[in-house]
Amino acid sequence: MTKTKISALALLCVAAVPAAFAASWQPYGEQSAEAPRSIYAQEDDGVATLLSCNADGQLSAMVSYKGGELTRKMKANAPFRRTVDVNIVRDGTDEGKSPWTIIPAVDLIHTKSHGDAGKIYNAAILGQDLTVKIQRKGEVALTLPAVDDVFRAFATTCQPPAGE
């Protein structure tokens, strides 16, 4: 866990910036771009990726797998949730199946797994192709933006507390 975060932060400084990504990372909600705890990127087709961290620096992730504005989906009353198997595929390598929470009314999946969220985080840093395979929903290709100032601020903000 710590190794993933350390190696990812080290790569922030040296990663090549792919030119193909048009979207940019945005702070979610009313958060400051200088110290966000949640950031997201929304593609033209409505697919969106949100990364968050708690006070202990643990990552979580959410993916909006169908069109629609992420901020509206997040505010919707959608109480029904269930567990669904999700595979993350980075640069053609299937990282294995893990349980995520699906909120079908708003076409969102969510994980509190630091490891799964870290795969998305690292794919953004490395500029890797990323596909999310959702049980009974199909595949979604995510076009993650290149590392930018907002992403760097998120990476800096999401550090574990000193002494851990």
Side-chain angles (χ1 to χ4, degrees):
M1 173 177 75
T2 302
K3 287 182 182 179
T4 301
K5 195 172 272 189
I6 290 170
S7 64
L9 285 172
L11 287 171
L12 279 173
C13 299
V14 298
V17 178
F21 301 125
S24 63
W25 292 102
Q26 303 293 320
Y28 180 75
E30 301 294 320
Q31 297 185 36
S32 158
E34 291 77 33
R37 286 218 171 265
S38 294
I39 59 172
Y40 75 102
Q42 181 129 15
E43 300 174 34
D44 291 338
D45 62 1
V47 172
T49 305
L50 178 124
L51 293 170
S52 295
C53 70
N54 64 20
D56 292 330
Q58 296 294 304
L59 295 172
S60 63
M62 185 173 283
V63 174
S64 170
Y65 55 88
K66 285 191 181 175
E69 189 179 328
L70 178 66
T71 54
R72 278 195 204 147
K73 289 182 176 194
M74 297 286 286
K75 293 176 185 174
N77 182 15
F80 177 72
R81 300 159 194 267
R82 63 182 164 84
T83 301
V84 65
D85 288 330
V86 172
N87 290 61
I88 296 174
V89 180
R90 293 189 300 165
D91 271 352
T93 302
D94 191 325
E95 303 284 337
K97 181 173 30 179
S98 60
W100 286 47
T101 301
I102 188 169
I103 310 167
V106 289
D107 305 315
L108 293 171
I109 56 172
H110 178 257
T111 183
K112 291 183 180 179
S113 163
H114 179 78
D116 284 342
K119 292 172 187 175
I120 296 171
Y121 176 92
N122 286 333
I125 290 169
L126 297 172
Q128 294 176 319
D129 292 331
L130 189 68
T131 301
V132 178
K133 295 180 179 182
I134 308 165
Q135 180 185 23
R136 293 188 295 273
K137 295 293 180 185
E139 295 183 5
V140 179
L142 300 179
T143 304
L144 300 174
V147 171
D148 59 14
D149 289 341
V150 172
F151 192 97
R152 285 183 189 92
F154 173 74
T156 300
T157 301
C158 290
Q159 295 294 313
E164 289 187 26

